[in-house]
Structures are given as structure tokens and as C-alpha cells.
Amino acid sequence: MNELLVFICDGAPVRGEIVSIGSAWQAILERRNDPPAVRRILGDFVGAATLLSASLKFDGTLIIQAQSKGPIQLLVVECKSDLSMRATIKLSTEPSAISDDATLGELLDAGNTGRLVITLDAADREPGQPPHQGIVALQDEVNGITRPVANAAEAIALYMQRSEQLDTRIWLASNDHSVGGLLLQKLPNSGGHAHLEPQVAAEGWNRVQTLGQTITNEELLTLQPETILRRLFLEESTEYGVRSFPSRQIRFACTCSRNKVADVLRMLGESEVQSILEERGTVETICDFCLKPYRFDPVDCLQVFKTDSLSDATRPPSGSH
């Protein structure tokens, strides 16, 4: 299962999505060896990124980045508008020091330092033009008391409310085999829902939320999106006009390349690269997302700094990438 299903309710101002990720999630896990609590958090954010990417109205990439001074130093999930995605995590402590039941607050919000950044990067963005970016702290205030968010679903809902002003409910689940998620979003009472009376619209949103709350982790992790949709909204299909669109496929794909590594070498500068060559003989790096190795010998590095375009900066690799 690697599917995302989008549905709308004609009789209520609600748009929804259901995601089920199997082999694409396995492709991420087979490249990592994280503690269970870390895998759980990463899986939830993979599900969240996929759900949010389905609403992109441009060709580009949605990036979820969480960073803190806690055990999880950095978490990055990238999902393109075609639903190809990749993910990575960097820890600031030994994996053995992280308990299996560690919470998101403990791992990502130590000392109230956690930050969630969501970036929308259009493929046709003009050079020098920054991508759209929203930042939210991984804390919420309830009755005047600040507390860390409980999980990834709460963090994303908080971001959507504060940054996008959209009421959003998300349910996420992940294990070592699959990732599942359900998103419900209240649409503005305009456009296709302009005919709804405010009270009717509010009642419809509340009713759909109530049905969403009945979803279980087991259902999210084991059932096809179409089956989940039928179970949740079968009785409401007539009243609220629930209809779905053709499902979309999700896949793991890394965007690393030899040319991009050459670009990094340019940013380091020729003197810095030369010092690495003198110390080690070659410049070697491994992609954080797919673990693909890249090796640049002295001739490769010379070409990097002698040419003006990245396409000419590297010769085909010999032996390694």
C-alpha cells in the first residue's frame, strides 16, 4: 500500500485525505537504524508531509523540518508534488540512550527549544526569491499554561491554525511496517460551499470531525484508504455528499546527485577542499537520505573549480558514485 486518497463533502465545508504508506516507508527504514521512539516520530512526520503535499497547487516540494537541542537534533521530510518523498533524522545522543516510550516533547522540545518549519518550494521559483516558509514552536498554550505538543499530528494542526488559519484535524499512526494518516480540513464557506448556511456548515464540520475521531491506529495501519473512507462516512455519503477522487501513488525517491555534491564543494571553497585532499587524498560524503556514497579525487575537485557550470563540473564516477 502506497496510496493517497482525496475526498470532499459537498454538503459540508470539509476536504479530507487518507494516506497509507508501505514499501516507500520500508525504503526509508532500511537505510536507518533508529530507536523505536525515533522511528515512530519520523513515521508520523512522513505521513503528515504526504498529506500536506497533496494540496500543493504547484510543481515543487514541501519540506517539514523540526530541530531542537534535544536528542533529535534535526528531522527532515521532503515530499514533492508528485508524492515522491525522502526523510532523515540526526541524533545528538547515542541511540541506546533513548527509551522506547520517549515522547515527541522529550526528543524534540528539550528546554522548549523545538521549532517546526514547513517550507513550500516551487520548482519554478525565480533565482534569489525565497521559498514560502512558516515557523511554529513545538509548544501550545492551554488555559494559560505552555506545554509541549503531544505528537506530530498536534504539531501540524497547530501549524495550520497559526500559519495558514485553517482548522485542521490529523490522525497519524506508524509502525515498522507502514504509516497511515487521516486529514480533515475545514474549507472557507465560499466557492462550492457558499450555499451552506453558517449553522449547517458548522454542524457538518463538527459531525465529520466526530466521525474522524472514531478511526483507530490499527485501521490506519492495515486498511486501504478506500476501505477507511467507506467505514467512516458510509452513512453520511448521502447527507453530506462525500465523494473521492482517483487515488495517487506514493514512492521513495532521493534527489541527491553528483552535481549537487559538486555545488557543496564550491560553497566550501577551493582552499578548504584542497586541505581535505591533502589530509585524506579524496573528498568523500554520504547522502543523509539514501546513504549513497560520493567520492571526488584530486582530478574531480580540480574540474569542480575550473568549470563554470555544474553540468560540466564532474566526470562520470569510476568505481564509486
Side-chain angles (χ1 to χ4, degrees):
M1 294 189 293
N2 289 288
E3 293 184 6
L4 183 140
L5 184 72
V6 176
F7 63 93
I8 62 171
C9 302
D10 292 325
V14 179
R15 175 184 180 277
E17 300 169 14
I18 305 171
V19 67
S20 177
I21 310 173
S23 60
W25 171 233
Q26 289 296 309
I28 292 175
L29 287 184
E30 72 182 13
R31 293 166 168 82
R32 309 194 54 81
N33 186 28
D34 299 309
V38 174
R39 291 199 301 270
R40 184 173 63 250
I41 290 173
L42 181 61
D44 286 351
F45 275 112
V46 164
T50 309
L51 289 168
L52 295 182
S53 297
S55 61
L56 290 178
K57 295 179 174 60
F58 57 84
D59 179 21
T61 306
L62 180 142
I63 305 167
I64 294 181
Q65 180 175 315
Q67 54 189 16
S68 79
K69 297 179 181 178
I72 294 180
Q73 181 179 355
L74 177 68
L75 176 150
V76 181
V77 182
E78 297 181 1
C79 190
K80 291 184 173 296
S81 47
D82 65 0
L83 299 187
S84 60
M85 54 88 170
R86 62 179 190 168
T88 188
I89 271 186
K90 290 186 178 180
L91 303 179
S92 62
T93 186
E94 290 297 322
S96 58
I98 299 176
S99 64
D100 291 352
D101 58 354
T103 65
L104 182 144
E106 293 169 342
L107 297 178
L108 261 175
D109 195 38
N112 294 332
T113 60
R115 295 292 182 270
L116 183 70
V117 182
I118 296 185
T119 303
L120 305 179
D121 192 3
D124 60 356
R125 177 167 53 89
E126 294 293 332
Q129 177 186 2
H132 174 75
Q133 194 171 76
I135 303 174
V136 64
L138 290 174
Q139 306 98 36
D140 193 12
E141 186 173 312
V142 179
N143 298 325
I145 300 175
T146 300
R147 63 169 182 82
V149 296
N151 48 49
E154 189 175 316
I156 296 298
L158 186 63
Y159 165 83
M160 295 301 295
Q161 179 61 49
R162 292 183 178 178
S163 183
E164 305 296 329
Q165 287 79 52
L166 288 173
D167 288 332
T168 305
R169 293 294 305 277
I170 300 180
W171 292 265
L172 299 167
S174 63
N175 57 24
D176 288 349
H177 306 288
S178 59
V179 170
L182 165 67
L183 177 147
L184 299 175
Q185 201 163 70
K186 182 180 180 182
L187 300 174
N189 194 20
S190 59
H193 297 91
H195 65 286
L196 297 177
E197 295 292 333
Q199 181 177 350
V200 174
E203 290 175 351
W205 168 239
N206 290 335
R207 174 59 178 166
V208 173
Q209 282 188 88
T210 299
L211 292 170
Q213 289 173 344
T214 65
I215 194 72
T216 66
N217 286 349
E218 182 179 0
E219 288 173 323
L220 285 175
L221 293 171
T222 60
L223 299 181
Q224 296 278 0
E226 294 85 354
T227 303
I228 293 176
L229 183 66
R230 288 196 302 270
R231 287 195 178 188
L232 287 179
F233 304 113
L234 178 61
E235 295 181 1
E236 274 67 26
S237 59
T238 300
E239 180 179 357
Y240 292 119
V242 179
R243 56 190 177 93
S244 63
F245 299 90
S247 62
R248 299 175 59 191
Q249 294 299 304
I250 304 160
R251 62 187 177 90
F252 172 83
C254 192
T255 59
C256 70
S257 70
R258 191 168 173 83
N259 285 343
K260 289 183 178 180
V261 177
D263 196 11
V264 173
L265 297 184
R266 290 181 185 275
M267 289 188 289
L268 283 176
E270 191 167 2
S271 60
E272 178 67 20
V273 171
Q274 185 60 39
S275 67
I276 297 174
L277 288 174
E278 292 173 357
E279 178 183 351
R280 305 177 184 176
T282 60
V283 178
E284 297 183 359
T285 186
I286 296 176
C287 176
D288 290 331
F289 292 90
C290 68
L291 303 185
K292 180 185 293 185
Y294 291 92
R295 178 180 177 274
F296 285 70
D297 63 23
V299 176
D300 295 325
C301 294
L302 181 63
Q303 288 297 104
V304 167
F305 293 103
K306 283 184 62 177
T307 56
D308 293 328
S309 63
L310 286 178
S311 60
D312 297 325
T314 56
R315 59 196 172 110
S318 57
S320 182
H321 293 280

